[in-house]
Amino acid sequence: MNRKNTIIPSQPPPGTRDFLPEETGSIDRVSGILLEEFSKWGYEKVITPSIDYSDIFLLSSEAAELFKSADTSTGEMLSFRSDFTPQIGRLSSALRNSLVLPYKFSYYGPVLRNFDPVTGKPREIWQVGAESVGPESPENDAELIIMGIEALKRLNVKDFKVDIGNVEFFRGIVSDIEPQVGKRIEEFILRKDSSGLNIFLGRISLPQDKKEAISLLPFIFGEKSVIRKAWNMAGNEASINALETLERVVAYIKSYRLEKYITIDLGEIRGLNYYTGIIFECFSPHVGYEIFGGGRYNNLIGNFGRKCAGAGFAVNIDMLAGCGKPACAKEKDFLVFNRMPDKKPEAELVMLLRKKGFTVESNFMDYAYAEAVKYMERKSIKNVIYINEGQILLKNIRSGREKKFKTVQDIKKYIEK
């Protein structure tokens, strides 16, 4: 292919997108509020590299999801970051001999996942998250959920619910079943396929009470009363401990008077190989995807050395930015628009206005006055200083008030008042 004749695409790769200034302003506003809220709870921001060893991300992502590349100096396989949590686990392991537990970290940035664009899933997702390393208490899990709820309240997000489950409840139910059978049951429950599950249960040999308990799993969701229903299904220590943990989480959330924002879903078993206890997801009818999600992952950090408990969650801010109260574009003060060849008077005015604390923008396009005004409206600029031959116009385009000056010195004296 002759590169000289190749037209480079003007659109980014499928599954990624450009954010215009207004959208970027919303994302900056949302991320700032989230990080500020997390910091109030003691979660301090860290920055991890955008690339890391592929094996790190394989702890939470499928191999096919990774954008991989070989390190040209060592031959090691690297990957663009697909998830922050394994990196926080690596970082926490490195700090074990230098900092006292717990570690409370927050972060902000993009993750890249090599999804098939045909599925409609984004390949690049901007996230703000929080991770707690050290505590293993249900109240610590609840604190993360509370932080997420409080952050969404500050963002004026309406009609959201946080679904809370515990993967150990499902593990307890199927702990005495052959692994292959348990895997098939897991697949039906993940799809919420109750009819397929019942057909499958009819074909296998299990005690009737066990079949009845399993058949109810896709329906164990709703208000907090479903926990009472789940107690009738708990037949071993693992499932009993899972319900006791869940009750403590709900009780702690209730102590913050936030119980109206939560539902229980003991049929949710996503990330079964990754999570080790409480899991949670937040949804709103106004957003097509999960707003935030996370849970407990006590086995993750042990991959880097000594075992240590951990829990965390991530907020998908590029999706969240559009469902709260829109970010208002901050108005700018002045546009200095000089049609004359001599640009020195313009520079004098810009320096003076900025010294006075105003926001000032210059525009070097060969525009007529009407075009300059259109530009100001798009950029939310209130005032124009229009310099043309024999006249300087100062005008507020919102109110229409204007004042004319003959020289730069005249308008400088007016500004200095």
Side-chain angles (χ1 to χ4, degrees):
M1 180 183 291
N2 186 346
R3 279 254 177 227
K4 291 183 179 179
N5 296 324
T6 300
I7 298 176
I8 299 174
S10 62
Q11 298 299 314
T16 66
R17 56 174 299 201
D18 299 312
F19 294 94
L20 296 178
E22 294 82 359
E23 297 171 297
T24 302
S26 290
I27 288 173
D28 286 345
R29 170 181 165 273
V30 167
S31 60
I33 289 173
L34 289 169
L35 290 170
E36 180 185 3
E37 182 65 32
F38 296 169
S39 72
K40 291 179 179 178
W41 298 75
Y43 290 76
E44 300 174 300
K45 184 181 175 184
V46 294
I47 298 175
T48 59
S50 57
I51 59 170
D52 217 319
Y53 297 107
S54 295
D55 287 347
I56 290 174
F57 299 117
L58 288 172
L59 297 173
S60 64
S61 304
E62 299 292 334
E65 294 178 12
L66 303 183
F67 284 97
K68 291 178 283 190
S69 177
D71 187 329
T72 55
S73 60
T74 65
E76 290 270 11
M77 287 304 297
L78 306 178
S79 173
F80 290 102
R81 178 175 54 226
S82 64
D83 187 0
F84 276 96
T85 303
Q87 291 187 304
I88 299 297
R90 173 183 54 71
L91 173 62
S92 298
S93 179
L95 295 172
R96 283 299 299 276
N97 295 323
S98 58
L99 293 180
V100 177
L101 292 170
Y103 308 148
K104 291 185 174 185
F105 296 135
S106 64
Y107 52 82
Y108 167 43
V111 296
L112 295 171
R113 296 168 184 169
N114 192 21
F115 294 135
D116 185 346
V118 175
T119 65
K121 292 182 179 179
R123 286 170 154 179
E124 183 181 51
I125 304 169
W126 286 80
Q127 293 186 334
V128 170
E131 310 288 336
S132 175
V133 176
E136 200 169 348
S137 73
E139 288 74 23
N140 185 225
D141 299 336
E143 178 182 86
L144 294 166
I145 296 168
I146 292 164
M147 282 168 46
I149 292 171
E150 292 289 3
L152 295 195
K153 286 171 61 182
R154 285 188 59 187
L155 289 166
N156 297 308
V157 179
K158 307 297 182 184
D159 304 324
F160 69 87
K161 287 283 188 179
V162 182
D163 297 338
I164 308 173
N166 192 326
V167 295
E168 297 301 330
F169 181 76
F170 172 79
R171 287 195 179 107
I173 295 292
V174 300
S175 59
D176 55 352
I177 297 176
E178 290 182 20
Q180 287 183 334
V181 174
K183 188 66 178 175
R184 289 285 287 139
I185 292 170
E186 177 187 336
E187 292 169 359
F188 286 116
I189 293 174
L190 280 169
R191 297 197 303 266
K192 303 291 185 184
D193 182 3
S194 58
S195 60
L197 176 61
N198 287 329
I199 292 170
F200 178 73
L201 291 173
R203 294 172 179 169
I204 61 176
S205 176
L206 286 176
Q208 188 59 32
D209 60 341
K210 176 70 71 174
K211 287 185 178 183
E212 289 176 0
I214 293 171
S215 67
L216 289 174
L217 282 172
F219 304 104
I220 304 299
F221 65 89
E223 300 303 318
K224 294 159 287 299
S225 59
V226 303
I227 298 179
R228 291 196 297 269
K229 185 178 180 180
W231 274 111
N232 297 325
M233 302 165 57
N236 56 29
E237 186 178 0
S239 53
I240 290 170
N241 289 340
L243 292 178
E244 289 176 345
T245 297
L246 185 58
E247 286 187 327
R248 284 176 59 180
V249 168
V250 171
Y252 196 68
I253 293 171
K254 190 174 180 180
S255 69
Y256 280 82
R257 300 190 179 99
L258 297 173
E259 63 269 25
K260 71 177 182 179
Y261 295 101
I262 65 172
T263 57
I264 306 302
D265 189 353
L266 285 164
E268 178 54 62
I269 55 172
R270 72 181 182 96
L272 193 62
N273 296 326
Y274 177 72
Y275 290 110
T276 59
I278 292 293
I279 57 173
F280 52 91
E281 296 177 297
C282 178
F283 293 95
S284 167
H286 309 296
V287 183
Y289 294 92
E290 164 189 308
I291 295 176
F292 68 71
R296 179 152 292 280
Y297 48 82
N298 288 347
N299 295 332
L300 173 70
I301 298 173
N303 289 284
F304 302 98
R306 282 188 293 167
K307 187 177 180 180
C308 188
F313 74 108
V315 185
N316 297 323
I317 57 172
D318 45 346
M319 299 170 193
L320 177 59
C323 72
K325 186 177 180 181
C328 297
K330 186 178 179 182
E331 281 197 319
K332 291 90 173 176
D333 296 311
F334 286 95
L335 173 70
V336 179
F337 198 77
N338 184 7
R339 296 296 303 274
M340 303 302 293
D342 183 7
K343 303 301 180 184
K344 183 178 178 182
E346 174 185 336
E348 292 178 9
L349 287 173
V350 169
M351 286 191 294
L352 175 60
L353 289 165
R354 287 183 179 158
K355 185 178 178 182
K356 290 283 186 178
F358 294 110
T359 55
V360 191
E361 181 177 337
S362 296
N363 191 315
F364 301 104
M365 296 293 293
D366 186 20
Y367 280 159
Y369 175 75
E371 292 171 303
V373 170
K374 286 181 181 179
Y375 177 80
M376 292 173 64
E377 289 172 344
R378 182 172 71 82
K379 295 292 292 286
S380 297
I381 303 173
K382 293 183 287 187
N383 304 288
V384 63
I385 297 177
Y386 189 74
I387 305 173
N388 207 350
E389 189 171 358
Q391 180 177 280
I392 300 174
L393 173 68
L394 169 61
K395 184 171 182 176
N396 184 300
I397 64 167
R398 299 283 187 272
S399 66
R401 291 195 302 269
E402 63 179 51
K403 194 171 181 63
K404 296 178 181 178
F405 304 88
K406 289 186 178 181
T407 67
V408 170
Q409 293 306 315
D410 292 338
I411 191 171
K412 286 174 70 175
K413 289 177 183 178
Y414 179 78
I415 293 168
E416 287 281 14
K417 288 183 184 178

